[in-house]
Amino acid sequence: MADRMLQFVRLSQHQPDKRAAATRRTDFGEIYQRFSAERASEQSSRCSQCGVPFCSIHCPLNNNIPDWLKLTAEGRLEEAYEIASATNTFPEICGRVCPQDRLCEGNCVIEKGFESVTIGAVEKYITDTAWEKGWVKPPSPVREVAHSVGIIGAGPAGLAAAERLRGRGWKVTVYDRYDRVGGLMIYGIPNFKLEKEVVLRRAEQFAAGGIEFVLNCQVGRDISMEELRAKHDAVLIATGVYKARDLGGPGAELAGIVPALDYLTASNRQNLGDAVPAYEDGTLNAAGKRVVVIGGGDTAMDCVRTAIRQGATSVTCLYRRDKANMPGSMREVSNAEEEGVRFAWLSAPEGFEGEGGKVSGVRAVKMHLGLPDATGRQQVEPIPGSAFSEPADLVIKALGFDPEDLPTMFNEPGLTVSRWGTLSIDRRSMMTKLDGVFAAGDIVRGASLVVWGIRDGRDVADQIESYVLAKASSPALAAE
């Protein structure tokens, strides 16, 4: 038990122990050990309880972090969970996959000289304990209401909206084109960061709370937007973004060059026990291969670390900027380095080499950082005469994701898109150009973090409720 807070002056920061790199690179289990009750209490007591908590300000969900840190330090875990779950639909997931080093922990005011509070690890400890103790309950409304919402997409934004509206008594139906609930949380994030049972138990709980899931259902093919709008009082589009950004150049058509999401989905399905022909025949399997991953974000880190676990003979990450400019979490980069990934910094691909129609290498050029552009970020420029070849049997393109053409997919020309292909909405109401059709998450903001998806899903649930209640109370609006 902590006698008082502000213990950072005598207690050092301590992250949960990691399994040894030599061990963890042989399996897909989560790499971080769990805090003991004593260690969680100690680390929570390091919080300074500052009057303006920058950790909360820089959390997309504005979680009441100092409050649940104090309760954890005092051993009041059930209350800590109630506070954590009041603002976050999936605290057990955010505690695992959020880039805390860029968000809450990176903005902790005791960072300099003392290191930040281990917020993510404590959040994970609180919610894992809550699941074990049975404190986590299905969304159970006090009373049922006569309103219905159809949600397209069972990812973070769609599920967050579903849970919020179901808790208020709405009839909620979630439609998803895949066969499991979770979106990229189930198929895009590897087990060593987020074990799938953590996602699946939430899906089971939501189903137990009355949320209906219609899986293997493609809007525009199995059901139309017109049918959804007729069936529900409101419709939410929360499909996320799945279209891989491509990289052209000579040799781009060679076999053995694959998109990151295809590769990660095959690995996750195989770990879930599914039959995956492309994994079995080696197309999406790194075993025994020289692997090159192109990109520097969290998806690239997921790919390089997955390849290590699949038994690749070598894994190299090509990134056109330096380590300090990596868009992904520095914690993930460090984990990858420990596990044996080689980083080729300031290296940009120009094309691909091949033999017999199959890739054998990546042609790249060395880069240097130039002057900042209008955004303040340094531009990258090639160094003349610095071309080189990186041998590869499997090349994985982890260049980010763009939106799919939803107006065409859904056969609904009334949906309008921005110049980036994301759905256009009224920023205040979060409604698209179609009356009663809302949109939230990555399909609006572009590829982003799970925590931003949760924030958008919770926000749009409030807007949907306001719209439907206003329409029900106004004969003129209801008649439109």
Side-chain angles (χ1 to χ4, degrees):
M1 289 286 194
D3 295 327
R4 61 191 186 279
M5 304 302 288
L6 287 83
Q7 295 301 300
F8 65 89
V9 294
R10 70 177 187 86
L11 292 175
S12 299
Q13 183 200 66
H14 185 87
Q15 295 285 351
D17 294 332
K18 286 191 287 189
R19 295 191 294 137
T23 302
R24 69 183 193 242
R25 57 181 284 156
T26 63
D27 62 47
F28 280 85
E30 289 187 6
I31 73 170
Y32 288 98
Q33 309 271 348
R34 182 173 163 180
F35 267 153
S36 65
E38 294 75 20
R39 183 56 59 87
S41 176
E42 282 182 359
Q43 290 301 304
S44 297
S45 74
R46 296 183 70 249
C47 176
S48 67
Q49 297 288 290
C50 48
V52 181
F54 275 41
C55 56
S56 295
I57 292 170
H58 289 275
C59 170
L61 289 165
N62 300 130
N63 284 329
N64 300 311
I65 296 168
D67 292 348
W68 50 255
L69 285 173
K70 184 174 187 296
L71 289 167
T72 302
E74 295 170 352
R76 297 158 63 186
L77 289 183
E78 188 168 3
E79 294 169 82
Y81 172 71
E82 291 298 326
I83 295 292
S85 61
T87 54
N88 191 348
T89 311
F90 306 111
E92 71 277 22
I93 293 174
C94 289
R96 288 168 162 85
V97 305
C98 265
Q100 290 96 4
D101 53 336
R102 286 194 279 129
L103 298 175
C104 53
E105 293 180 18
N107 290 280
C108 178
V109 298
I110 65 170
E111 172 75 21
K112 286 189 176 181
F114 293 97
E115 302 301 329
S116 64
V117 178
T118 51
I119 295 168
V122 173
E123 183 177 39
K124 176 186 171 186
Y125 169 78
I126 292 169
T127 45
D128 283 354
T129 301
W131 278 98
E132 291 173 2
K133 299 289 188 181
W135 300 335
V136 186
K137 304 296 184 184
S140 52
V142 174
R143 64 184 179 87
E144 299 287 343
V145 298
H147 305 308
S148 166
V149 63
I151 297 175
I152 307 170
L159 293 178
E163 188 266 350
R164 200 162 177 83
L165 289 170
R166 180 61 197 140
R168 296 172 182 178
W170 283 54
K171 178 174 173 53
V172 179
T173 305
V174 181
Y175 305 85
D176 197 275
R177 60 182 166 180
Y178 294 104
D179 57 345
R180 290 184 177 91
V181 174
L184 288 179
M185 294 189 297
I186 201 79
Y187 287 133
I189 301 177
N191 279 22
F192 51 78
K193 284 172 62 176
L194 176 61
E195 290 183 344
K196 297 301 166 268
E197 175 56 31
V198 175
V199 181
L200 294 174
R201 69 186 178 189
R202 271 290 181 185
E204 292 169 1
Q205 186 201 57
F206 284 2
I211 296 173
E212 181 185 357
F213 292 101
V214 181
L215 303 178
N216 294 306
C217 179
Q218 173 67 57
V219 176
R221 182 194 66 193
D222 303 308
I223 191 169
S224 68
M225 278 294 294
E226 185 179 356
E227 290 173 305
L228 287 175
R229 296 178 72 190
K231 183 177 180 180
H232 301 287
D233 296 309
V235 174
L236 168 62
I237 301 173
T239 55
V241 292
Y242 283 83
K243 180 183 176 183
R245 291 178 186 158
D246 208 356
L247 178 69
E253 76 289 345
L254 291 167
I257 304 172
V258 302
L261 188 55
D262 290 358
Y263 174 71
L264 292 172
T265 299
S267 177
N268 281 314
R269 281 193 176 279
Q270 196 271 338
N271 285 328
L272 283 162
D274 294 351
V276 187
Y279 180 89
E280 299 300 332
D281 66 20
T283 303
L284 297 175
N285 186 349
K289 296 177 181 176
R290 298 167 298 175
V291 176
V292 172
V293 176
I294 301 171
D298 287 335
T299 300
M301 296 306 97
D302 292 344
C303 290
V304 294
R305 298 179 65 202
T306 295
I308 287 286
R309 285 158 174 77
Q310 289 180 347
T313 57
S314 67
V315 180
T316 301
C317 180
L318 285 183
Y319 181 55
R320 64 182 185 146
R321 298 180 186 271
D322 61 6
K323 186 175 182 179
N325 283 279
M326 287 278 281
S329 166
M330 285 296 106
R331 198 172 290 171
E332 289 302 301
V333 174
S334 176
N335 288 333
E337 288 176 327
E338 290 173 3
E339 292 165 6
V341 175
R342 184 177 75 85
F343 286 85
W345 307 112
L346 293 165
S347 301
E350 291 187 317
F352 305 92
E353 300 169 344
E355 299 173 3
K358 192 172 188 319
V359 71
S360 62
V362 180
R363 290 204 307 273
V365 63
K366 286 291 185 180
M367 311 292 285
H368 73 87
L369 295 174
L371 296 173
D373 59 18
T375 67
R377 197 176 191 196
Q378 286 179 282
Q379 301 177 60
V380 289
E381 302 168 354
I383 299 174
S386 64
F388 67 97
S389 179
E390 187 69 43
D393 306 306
L394 176 63
V395 178
I396 303 170
K397 298 177 291 185
L399 304 168
F401 304 99
D402 286 324
E404 296 160 293
D405 183 1
L406 288 194
T408 299
M409 285 179 61
F410 290 178
N411 191 28
E412 182 47 78
L415 292 171
T416 58
V417 299
S418 69
R419 62 191 177 98
W420 300 281
T422 54
L423 286 183
S424 298
I425 61 170
D426 180 289
R427 294 290 168 175
R428 187 169 292 179
S429 68
M430 303 182 76
M431 192 187 301
T432 67
K433 296 292 186 182
L434 296 176
D435 185 58
V437 178
F438 297 76
D442 287 2
I443 195 57
V444 173
R445 69 168 59 244
S448 189
L449 303 173
V450 168
V451 67
W452 274 114
I454 298 169
R455 167 65 183 268
D456 292 346
R458 293 171 70 91
D459 286 349
V460 78
D462 294 341
Q463 297 301 323
I464 290 170
E465 184 175 54
S466 295
Y467 163 82
V468 172
L469 293 180
K471 194 167 185 177
S473 63
S474 170
L477 286 174
E480 291 182 359

